[in-house]
Amino acid sequence: MSKGQWYPGSMTRAVNQLREDLKAIDLVIELLDARTPYSSRNPVFSDLAENKKHLVLLHKADRAENDSTEVWLSHFRKTGAEAMAFSVHRKQDLSRLMNYLNKEESRMRSGRFKRPLRMIFVGIPNVGKSTLINLFVHKAVTRTGNRPGITRGKQWIRIMPGMELLDTPGILMPRINEVTSPPLAVVGAIPAGRVDIHDAALWLIERYLEKGKYDLLINKYPGLEAGEAEQIFEQIGLSQGCLQSEGKVDTERTAALMLRDFQGGALGRFTLESPPRQG
Ligand SMILES: Nc1nc2c(ncn2[C@@H]2O[C@H](COP(=O)(O)OP(=O)(O)OP(=O)(O)O)[C@@H](O)[C@H]2O)c(=O)[nH]1
Ligand SMILES: [Mg+2]
């Protein structure tokens, strides 16, 4: 098995679990990382969520570039999906989401079944599922008891009258291949042990060069001179003191530092991929 693959067993288990959970769900809120919407999407999921009301949230939008997020939103809307940018750090995003949920809730109320709108957050690791659930838990009116038909141990959180959220997120494994693994490693969606983080860090430097945003790297790592990605990487290792005992640059430590800096926002707002061109 190549370094980047997930264990197929856990993937199958996760998918089966999600299929079970979805039976009770009216609205699926799919979280994608706004910096890498393509790679943070799992195509298996689209099949599972067929026939369900479905909202795409481009999450952590405070870390992505606004104009790129707009391009991604219109891309999703062209494919017929409902999509919204979101950040837990922006009050107006929460209001927009609440407005959307209220509309859905009143549709349920006036519909045939007259029951609460039930929803779930789904997404790949580290995309922000728990943070969003917690945000709603704080707003929650009550925690409701277990309901039949749902895996034992799970609870519905009544976040508003007529609106219930499953307290356990749907976890999707990202699909990992040559295209998706660098951005997924950069945003922290796959554990360092499963990818070559040196490759991911070089890939990241290339993206900054390609977009003419080298100044964002210099901001964080002063004194960097121009060069190829590998040379820049070496300079970062040297200047940040990521060295082995013989004074050589410690590749693993340098790469880990860069990914940490990116994930912590120290390398600025940056979108890692663009939507496929429409023909
Ligand atoms: N900048 C930014 N960071 C966020 C946002 N939402 C969540 N995060 C951060 O993203 C990291 C991961 O969030 P979690 O909520 O733990 O993600 P998760 O999807 O539950 O992750 P797993 O449980 O590993 O699957 C945390 O450090 C959060 O603080 C956001 O809107 N903006
Ligand atoms: Mg979580």
Side-chain angles (χ1 to χ4, degrees):
M1 188 153 66
S2 80
K3 205 175 178 185
Q5 258 177 310
W6 290 86
Y7 305 114
S10 68
M11 172 81 163
T12 311
R13 264 197 309 281
V15 167
N16 287 340
Q17 178 66 62
L18 188 56
R19 184 176 288 124
E20 196 53 38
D21 289 346
L22 284 178
K23 287 182 184 164
I25 297 290
D26 308 298
L27 170 66
V28 179
I29 303 177
E30 182 186 16
L31 305 189
L32 301 181
D33 190 308
R35 296 162 300 179
T36 177
Y38 169 77
S39 297
S40 57
R41 195 153 215 214
N42 184 327
V44 172
F45 171 71
S46 311
D47 300 339
L48 284 181
E50 232 178 13
N51 309 323
K52 297 282 171 190
K53 185 83 183 170
H54 179 190
L55 173 67
V56 172
L57 276 196
L58 294 184
H59 190 37
K60 305 194 188 184
D62 57 302
R63 288 282 163 74
E65 297 161 69
N66 281 338
D67 48 352
S68 306
T69 300
E70 285 306 316
V71 174
W72 271 108
L73 286 173
S74 59
H75 167 78
F76 282 114
R77 287 169 188 153
K78 269 184 208 146
T79 67
E82 291 187 275
M84 222 180 256
F86 193 86
S87 160
V88 291
H89 303 301
R90 305 194 303 212
K91 279 217 175 81
Q92 72 273 23
D93 290 3
L94 187 60
S95 315
R96 201 187 309 123
L97 179 58
M98 287 315 297
N99 283 344
Y100 177 92
L101 297 180
N102 281 325
K103 263 192 216 126
E104 288 307 307
E105 190 274 328
S106 58
R107 273 180 8 134
M108 289 296 291
R109 209 163 358 107
S110 56
R112 261 193 309 151
F113 300 112
K114 309 226 184 323
R115 58 181 175 85
L117 174 71
R118 294 188 187 143
M119 40 191 192
I120 185 173
F121 289 114
V122 304
I124 63 170
N126 202 39
V127 72
K129 301 177 295 296
S130 302
T131 307
L132 262 174
I133 290 177
N134 287 338
L135 198 75
F136 281 108
V137 170
H138 288 304
K139 297 191 163 296
V141 186
T142 49
R143 285 180 87 85
T144 65
N146 283 345
R147 282 178 194 281
I150 287 291
T151 317
R152 237 180 307 164
K154 295 196 172 177
Q155 288 208 316
W156 293 99
I157 307 160
R158 183 171 300 144
I159 60 171
M160 293 267 190
M163 239 187 257
E164 298 184 357
L165 171 68
L166 195 59
D167 74 349
T168 318
I171 300 171
L172 297 167
M173 298 301 161
R175 93 213 110 140
I176 300 180
N177 56 42
E178 274 170 25
V179 173
T180 63
S181 71
L184 289 171
V186 166
V187 299
I190 27 182
R194 295 239 171 83
V195 276
D196 187 327
I197 60 171
H198 181 205
D199 281 354
L202 292 176
W203 178 89
L204 180 63
I205 295 172
E206 277 158 13
R207 300 288 77 71
Y208 277 83
L209 292 174
E210 184 182 82
K211 286 175 109 176
K213 298 215 163 186
Y214 193 44
D215 54 325
L216 289 174
L217 292 183
I218 298 176
N219 267 349
K220 176 62 187 166
Y221 311 119
L224 283 188
E225 283 168 25
E228 302 279 309
E230 184 70 66
Q231 295 162 332
I232 293 167
F233 181 85
E234 288 280 315
Q235 291 182 56
I236 293 173
L238 277 175
S239 69
Q240 301 302 303
C242 300
L243 303 174
Q244 295 172 326
S245 46
E246 320 87 78
K248 269 178 40 190
V249 166
D250 186 326
T251 309
E252 285 289 304
R253 270 177 60 205
T254 308
L257 172 106
M258 284 195 66
L259 300 197
R260 227 176 20 250
D261 285 343
F262 183 87
Q263 287 160 25
L267 303 184
R269 295 180 68 161
F270 198 85
T271 302
L272 296 162
E273 56 194 14
S274 325
R277 278 181 210 287
Q278 246 108 23

